[in-house]
Structure formats: structure tokens, C-alpha cells
Amino acid sequence: MCNHFDQFPSLLGSDLQMKEEIPGSLDYSKSIQEIVADYLTTLDSTYDTTLRGSHMNDTQTFEPMEFIQNEESCLIDYYWQRKKLSCLPCPSGKNVKFSDELISFLITPDSRDFGGRSILYNRELFNVTLASKLIPSWVVFRQSSNDLMSGPTILQPGESIAIEFDIDVSILTEGTTQGTVSFETVIGGDYPGCLTNFVNFDSLVELRSEENLNQIGFIRPVGWSLMALAVGLAGFFFAWTYKHRQHRVLKASQPMFMQLICIGTFIMALSILPLSIDDSIASPEVCSKACMAVPWLVCSGFAITFSTLFAKLWRVHKVMSAAQNFRRVVVHQDDALKSIAIFLTLKFVLLLCWTLTDPYVWRREIIDQDP
């Protein structure tokens, strides 16, 4: 057996027939269906095709012991093909669909455009008839898409149609709303008995009311008005003091120190300007710079004003102490200005280190629950 192979083993004999075997014969007087029917009637129970060694030919029949299909035996989603005398699956129509399955809208008080657009394609080999089936009440078709609402529309193979619509915000409540825009499609061509399909897309609308961003808003002009008042008064008194600096009373009041106090007040008043800046009028980068400008202006003005008052009081103290001892002493303005320079230098160094190492950064934080 290893060296050769006989196509017909000798044990079957020359006529391929074993001893005591009854040779088979073909009876052409009966059809295959009749032979099968005769066999099935001899069985005591229903014929089970899952038994090992049994007949396994799948003929796509849908009724027990029915090997021949007819028009009445076709199930749902199958149609009778007369030429082939068979039940064939209906076309799925899966290539008739919208370009977008979900169209989302975020509508805020600043929104101006509430419109959407989706394109329905027919990439099948047969034409389909469209009819509106389910339209949410807040979806309003535009004039260009009114033909779909007026009656059935035929879409030929390879054609497409644009669905344009608007969102009627007046009937929506705050929050998220989702609706389905659905069209019924009837398959055209030689597919009798095939049911209709549906094509749809979802529309998701999130309607937000005006958020409370805690911005400065209408308070800003009030702050600017107060700043303008303070700056104007500081500038006015500075000019008035300079003009009457030779007056006897002003001379005794040390006009240079009075002018320095006006300058310090002027700078402190300017800090209202960066305090009035937020993300409603500037970018986050500008807001961060404005945040850091506030301590520079406040500290600079404060240092000038109070170091001047300290120097002025120190000068008066020196003169009065000398008078009690019946001594004459002269305290020059340059001596008093040294203390002012020391205060300003310390202030400048501290602010510079602060700005370079850990400056203020403007950042908006969303609070889930308001207190």
C-alpha cells in the first residue's frame, strides 16, 4: 500500500460489487421530492437534520419538511424572485444614509446661528422614495427643504439631497434636549413584498442661560470715576502747592513733602485701573499682568506717601528736640530724602523678587456649587 495506490481495490471485484451485495438501481419514474416524501412518512418522529450522518443540505426553507420554496413561504424581509423560483433577501438599503448621524448645538445668549445641515445620500443601485416620518417640534425645515415635508420625494441612485433646518429656541427649556429626525424610505425596483426602511439622524441641543461669571461689569465705570476723582484731586493739589510754594504758610509746611504725598496718592489711585480688568475686556495674559501691576502701584504709592510722612515728622522732631535744649540745628531736605530713598529701595527689591519668582497669574475656576 505504501508503494502503490489502486484506484479501485480488488476486494470489490472486477465489477465493483461485493459478494451477496444487491446492486442499486436508478428509478427515474419518481421525482426526488416524492422519494424524500416517501422516506419521511416512514419515520416515527420529525426528521432532525442535526443528527450526525443525516441529510445536511441547507435549502433555505422556512417550514418543516418543505424542500421546495414558493411565493407564500417567503418570510418578512424576503421577496419572491420569479426567475429563480426562490426567496431572496430584500436589499438592506444600508447605503441610503445621512452624512451626519449626530448634529450637536451649543446655544448660549450670545449665539446667533441656530441652523443645521445634513446630506442624505443614495449609494444603492435602486431608487428610493422618501417621506418624513418623525420630526421634533423644535426642528423647523428651511424653505430649501420644504419639498420633503410636502410629499414623497424620489431619490435616484447616486443622487443626494441636503436637509437644512433651524432650531426653534423659543420652545426649548434650559438643559440638553435630543431628538431624532427620521424619514421613511420605500425601496423601488423589482422587489415585491419588501418592507420600508428608515433613515435618521439625531439632533442634540444644549441650551445654556447666561452664566454668572462673576465679572466686574457695571461696577467698572464706578471704579474708574472714583479713580479719576482721586487722580484729579492729587494732580490739582500738586499743582496748587507748586504754584504757592513761596507762601509763608506753605513754606512752613514744607511744600516738597506735600508734593511727594500728592505723588504717592496719585500712584495709589492708579491701582484701580488694573483692578478693573478681567476676562470680559482682556485676555488671560493681560489679566495676569494687570494682577501683578496692582501690588506694584499700591506698594509704590504707599511707600512714597508714608515714607514722606515719616521723613517730615522726623525733620520736625529733630528741630523741636534741639529747641528744647536751646540749640540751633539745621536739617536739610537731602537728609530727609535719604530715608525716603531707603524705603523705596527696599520696596523695589521685594517687589522685584516677588515678580520674578512667583508672580500673580489670573485664572478662572469653575465652582460646582454656589454657597
Side-chain angles (χ1 to χ4, degrees), residues 30-40 65-69:
K30 290 186 177 182
S31 62
I32 298 177
Q33 289 80 4
E34 292 176 339
I35 296 174
V36 172
D38 293 340
Y39 168 72
L40 294 177
M65 296 187 302
E66 191 65 57
F67 286 83
I68 299 298
Q69 293 181 337

Side-chain angles (χ1 to χ4, degrees), residues 234-253:
F236 170 77
F237 287 121
F238 181 90
W240 184 86
T241 304
Y242 180 80
K243 181 179 180 181
H244 300 88
R245 64 185 182 278
Q246 299 300 330
H247 194 276
R248 184 172 58 89
V249 176
L250 287 180
K251 240 181 179 181
S253 301

Side-chain angles (χ1 to χ4, degrees), residues 238 241 245 250-251 253-263 308 311-312 315 332-337 340:
F238 181 90
T241 304
R245 64 185 182 278
L250 287 180
K251 240 181 179 181
S253 301
Q254 306 175 42
M256 185 197 70
F257 292 105
M258 298 175 64
Q259 290 173 343
L260 285 175
I261 292 175
C262 290
I263 293 174
T308 301
K312 180 180 175 66
R315 190 180 185 189
H332 298 283
Q333 290 185 351
D334 294 342
D335 297 331
L337 290 176
I340 299 176

